[in-house]
Tab-separated table of all heavy atoms in Angstrom:
chain	number	residue	atom	x	y	z
A	181	ILE	N	112.979	99.111	119.542
A	181	ILE	CA	112.332	100.400	119.786
A	181	ILE	C	111.605	100.888	118.539
A	181	ILE	O	110.451	101.336	118.589
A	181	ILE	CB	113.372	101.447	120.246
A	181	ILE	CG1	113.913	101.072	121.633
A	181	ILE	CG2	112.760	102.847	120.275
A	181	ILE	CD1	115.099	101.910	122.086
A	182	ILE	N	112.270	100.777	117.401
A	182	ILE	CA	111.688	101.250	116.144
A	182	ILE	C	110.463	100.433	115.767
A	182	ILE	O	109.421	100.981	115.393
A	182	ILE	CB	112.747	101.183	115.022
A	182	ILE	CG1	113.875	102.159	115.316
A	182	ILE	CG2	112.120	101.482	113.654
A	182	ILE	CD1	115.136	101.887	114.520
A	183	LEU	N	110.578	99.119	115.849
A	183	LEU	CA	109.461	98.260	115.441
A	183	LEU	C	108.257	98.445	116.357
A	183	LEU	O	107.108	98.498	115.892
A	183	LEU	CB	109.897	96.798	115.425
A	183	LEU	CG	108.834	95.804	114.958
A	183	LEU	CD1	108.345	96.136	113.550
A	183	LEU	CD2	109.377	94.376	115.006
A	184	ALA	N	108.483	98.555	117.654
A	184	ALA	CA	107.370	98.759	118.583
A	184	ALA	C	106.639	100.059	118.261
A	184	ALA	O	105.400	100.121	118.296
A	184	ALA	CB	107.869	98.768	120.024
A	185	LYS	N	107.385	101.109	117.914
A	185	LYS	CA	106.750	102.378	117.546
A	185	LYS	C	106.000	102.247	116.228
A	185	LYS	O	104.908	102.797	116.065
A	185	LYS	CB	107.802	103.479	117.442
A	185	LYS	CG	108.320	103.937	118.789
A	185	LYS	CD	109.216	105.151	118.645
A	185	LYS	CE	109.611	105.686	120.018
A	185	LYS	NZ	110.411	106.921	119.927
A	186	ALA	N	106.596	101.541	115.269
A	186	ALA	CA	105.938	101.360	113.974
A	186	ALA	C	104.612	100.620	114.140
A	186	ALA	O	103.634	100.906	113.439
A	186	ALA	CB	106.850	100.598	113.020
A	187	LEU	N	104.551	99.684	115.064
A	187	LEU	CA	103.329	98.916	115.318
A	187	LEU	C	102.374	99.641	116.261
A	187	LEU	O	101.226	99.211	116.437
A	187	LEU	CB	103.684	97.544	115.906
A	187	LEU	CG	104.433	96.586	114.974
A	187	LEU	CD1	104.938	95.378	115.751
A	187	LEU	CD2	103.535	96.136	113.832
A	188	GLY	N	102.840	100.704	116.884
A	188	GLY	CA	101.988	101.461	117.793
A	188	GLY	C	101.723	100.768	119.111
A	188	GLY	O	100.717	101.026	119.765
A	189	ILE	N	102.640	99.893	119.526
A	189	ILE	CA	102.419	99.130	120.757
A	189	ILE	C	103.468	99.446	121.823
A	189	ILE	O	103.572	98.738	122.832
A	189	ILE	CB	102.404	97.610	120.479
A	189	ILE	CG1	103.724	97.170	119.837
A	189	ILE	CG2	101.227	97.241	119.581
A	189	ILE	CD1	103.833	95.653	119.612
A	190	GLN	N	104.239	100.514	121.617
A	190	GLN	CA	105.361	100.802	122.508
A	190	GLN	C	104.936	101.122	123.927
A	190	GLN	O	105.724	100.977	124.862
A	190	GLN	CB	106.216	101.943	121.938
A	190	GLN	CG	105.588	103.330	122.010
A	190	GLN	CD	104.702	103.636	120.826
A	190	GLN	OE1	104.234	102.745	120.137
A	190	GLN	NE2	104.466	104.921	120.571
A	191	ASN	N	103.687	101.535	124.121
A	191	ASN	CA	103.232	101.902	125.468
A	191	ASN	C	102.365	100.835	126.119
A	191	ASN	O	101.839	101.045	127.213
A	191	ASN	CB	102.460	103.228	125.404
A	191	ASN	CG	103.357	104.394	125.014
A	191	ASN	OD1	104.501	104.482	125.440
A	191	ASN	ND2	102.844	105.287	124.164
A	192	GLU	N	102.220	99.701	125.462
A	192	GLU	CA	101.434	98.613	126.053
A	192	GLU	C	102.186	97.988	127.223
A	192	GLU	O	103.415	97.919	127.226
A	192	GLU	CB	101.157	97.517	125.014
A	192	GLU	CG	100.061	97.836	124.045
A	192	GLU	CD	99.659	96.607	123.246
A	192	GLU	OE1	99.895	95.471	123.716
A	192	GLU	OE2	99.110	96.780	122.149
A	193	SER	N	101.437	97.504	128.171
A	193	SER	CA	102.055	96.775	129.275
A	193	SER	C	102.380	95.360	128.840
A	193	SER	O	101.722	94.803	127.954
A	193	SER	CB	101.118	96.750	130.482
A	193	SER	OG	99.907	96.087	130.154
A	194	ALA	N	103.396	94.777	129.450
A	194	ALA	CA	103.806	93.418	129.096
A	194	ALA	C	104.568	92.825	130.270
A	194	ALA	O	105.241	93.549	131.011
A	194	ALA	CB	104.683	93.433	127.843
A	195	PRO	N	104.493	91.518	130.434
A	195	PRO	CA	105.260	90.891	131.514
A	195	PRO	C	106.750	90.944	131.228
A	195	PRO	O	107.172	91.087	130.074
A	195	PRO	CB	104.744	89.441	131.505
A	195	PRO	CG	104.245	89.223	130.112
A	195	PRO	CD	103.681	90.546	129.677
A	196	ASN	N	107.538	90.845	132.278
A	196	ASN	CA	108.987	90.825	132.121
A	196	ASN	C	109.383	89.600	131.293
A	196	ASN	O	109.057	88.476	131.654
A	196	ASN	CB	109.670	90.777	133.492
A	196	ASN	CG	111.164	91.048	133.395
A	196	ASN	OD1	111.843	90.582	132.495
A	196	ASN	ND2	111.668	91.801	134.362
A	197	PRO	N	110.065	89.785	130.153
A	197	PRO	CA	110.409	88.644	129.307
A	197	PRO	C	111.512	87.772	129.881
A	197	PRO	O	111.751	86.663	129.389
A	197	PRO	CB	110.856	89.307	127.999
A	197	PRO	CG	111.371	90.645	128.421
A	197	PRO	CD	110.481	91.069	129.565
A	198	GLY	N	112.205	88.259	130.894
A	198	GLY	CA	113.177	87.433	131.598
A	198	GLY	C	114.562	87.374	130.978
A	198	GLY	O	115.355	86.495	131.333
A	199	PHE	N	114.896	88.294	130.101
A	199	PHE	CA	116.253	88.308	129.544
A	199	PHE	C	117.222	88.805	130.609
A	199	PHE	O	117.008	89.858	131.219
A	199	PHE	CB	116.326	89.221	128.316
A	199	PHE	CG	115.482	88.765	127.162
A	199	PHE	CD1	114.362	89.486	126.770
A	199	PHE	CD2	115.810	87.616	126.458
A	199	PHE	CE1	113.583	89.081	125.696
A	199	PHE	CE2	115.034	87.197	125.381
A	199	PHE	CZ	113.915	87.916	125.005
A	200	ARG	N	118.296	88.061	130.831
A	200	ARG	CA	119.239	88.417	131.887
A	200	ARG	C	119.987	89.713	131.605
A	200	ARG	O	120.487	90.353	132.543
A	200	ARG	CB	120.238	87.274	132.088
A	200	ARG	CG	119.592	85.979	132.584
A	200	ARG	CD	120.615	84.873	132.739
A	200	ARG	NE	119.978	83.619	133.126
A	200	ARG	CZ	120.630	82.458	133.259
A	200	ARG	NH1	121.941	82.410	133.047
A	200	ARG	NH2	119.970	81.366	133.602
A	201	ASP	N	120.092	90.086	130.331
A	201	ASP	CA	120.826	91.297	129.973
A	201	ASP	C	119.901	92.472	129.650
A	201	ASP	O	120.335	93.486	129.109
A	201	ASP	CB	121.766	91.030	128.786
A	201	ASP	CG	121.062	90.375	127.601
A	201	ASP	OD1	119.857	90.052	127.724
A	201	ASP	OD2	121.712	90.183	126.554
A	202	ILE	N	118.618	92.340	130.020
A	202	ILE	CA	117.662	93.433	129.811
A	202	ILE	C	116.947	93.722	131.135
A	202	ILE	O	115.838	93.232	131.392
A	202	ILE	CB	116.623	93.089	128.711
A	202	ILE	CG1	117.310	92.732	127.407
A	202	ILE	CG2	115.672	94.277	128.499
A	202	ILE	CD1	118.076	93.878	126.767
A	203	PRO	N	117.576	94.508	132.014
A	203	PRO	CA	116.903	94.886	133.262
A	203	PRO	C	115.752	95.847	132.963
A	203	PRO	O	115.672	96.428	131.878
A	203	PRO	CB	118.014	95.575	134.056
A	203	PRO	CG	118.942	96.123	133.007
A	203	PRO	CD	118.921	95.107	131.889
A	204	THR	N	114.886	96.026	133.925
A	204	THR	CA	113.742	96.919	133.719
A	204	THR	C	114.176	98.364	133.504
A	204	THR	O	113.404	99.177	132.995
A	204	THR	CB	112.789	96.854	134.918
A	204	THR	OG1	113.515	97.164	136.122
A	204	THR	CG2	112.180	95.458	135.046
A	205	SER	N	115.412	98.690	133.852
A	205	SER	CA	115.920	100.044	133.661
A	205	SER	C	116.502	100.263	132.263
A	205	SER	O	116.875	101.378	131.908
A	205	SER	CB	117.011	100.342	134.702
A	205	SER	OG	118.078	99.394	134.597
A	206	HIS	N	116.568	99.217	131.460
A	206	HIS	CA	117.157	99.337	130.118
A	206	HIS	C	116.273	100.228	129.247
A	206	HIS	O	115.038	100.117	129.281
A	206	HIS	CB	117.294	97.953	129.480
A	206	HIS	CG	118.140	97.935	128.243
A	206	HIS	ND1	117.679	98.383	127.020
A	206	HIS	CD2	119.416	97.535	128.042
A	206	HIS	CE1	118.637	98.250	126.117
A	206	HIS	NE2	119.697	97.738	126.701
A	207	PRO	N	116.848	101.121	128.432
A	207	PRO	CA	116.043	102.032	127.599
A	207	PRO	C	115.085	101.313	126.645
A	207	PRO	O	114.038	101.868	126.295
A	207	PRO	CB	117.096	102.816	126.814
A	207	PRO	CG	118.331	102.731	127.646
A	207	PRO	CD	118.285	101.396	128.319
A	208	ALA	N	115.430	100.098	126.258
A	208	ALA	CA	114.586	99.369	125.309
A	208	ALA	C	113.718	98.310	125.995
A	208	ALA	O	113.060	97.525	125.309
A	208	ALA	CB	115.446	98.701	124.235
A	209	TYR	N	113.702	98.326	127.331
A	209	TYR	CA	113.003	97.258	128.053
A	209	TYR	C	111.541	97.124	127.640
A	209	TYR	O	111.066	96.025	127.308
A	209	TYR	CB	113.080	97.486	129.571
A	209	TYR	CG	112.164	96.569	130.347
A	209	TYR	CD1	112.498	95.249	130.589
A	209	TYR	CD2	110.912	97.024	130.804
A	209	TYR	CE1	111.650	94.394	131.273
A	209	TYR	CE2	110.049	96.178	131.482
A	209	TYR	CZ	110.423	94.860	131.707
A	209	TYR	OH	109.557	94.008	132.358
A	210	LYS	N	110.782	98.225	127.640
A	210	LYS	CA	109.349	98.149	127.352
A	210	LYS	C	109.090	97.642	125.938
A	210	LYS	O	108.184	96.835	125.714
A	210	LYS	CB	108.698	99.523	127.547
A	210	LYS	CG	108.601	99.967	128.990
A	210	LYS	CD	107.789	101.250	129.128
A	210	LYS	CE	106.335	101.027	128.772
A	210	LYS	NZ	105.504	102.248	129.009
A	211	SER	N	109.898	98.109	124.999
A	211	SER	CA	109.724	97.665	123.613
A	211	SER	C	110.037	96.185	123.469
A	211	SER	O	109.300	95.434	122.812
A	211	SER	CB	110.629	98.479	122.679
A	211	SER	OG	110.270	99.844	122.682
A	212	ILE	N	111.129	95.753	124.074
A	212	ILE	CA	111.512	94.342	123.999
A	212	ILE	C	110.458	93.472	124.678
A	212	ILE	O	110.089	92.408	124.167
A	212	ILE	CB	112.900	94.137	124.639
A	212	ILE	CG1	113.977	94.816	123.783
A	212	ILE	CG2	113.211	92.654	124.812
A	212	ILE	CD1	115.333	94.918	124.451
A	213	ALA	N	109.958	93.932	125.818
A	213	ALA	CA	108.962	93.150	126.554
A	213	ALA	C	107.677	92.973	125.752
A	213	ALA	O	107.133	91.863	125.664
A	213	ALA	CB	108.663	93.821	127.897
Side-chain angles (χ1 to χ4, degrees):
I181 293 171
I182 295 163
L183 182 58
K185 286 188 174 184
L187 293 170
I189 58 176
Q190 72 274 21
N191 294 321
E192 282 192 23
S193 61
N196 192 319
F199 296 112
R200 296 179 184 176
D201 52 356
I202 304 295
T204 56
S205 58
H206 192 283
Y209 169 78
K210 289 187 67 175
S211 296
I212 292 168

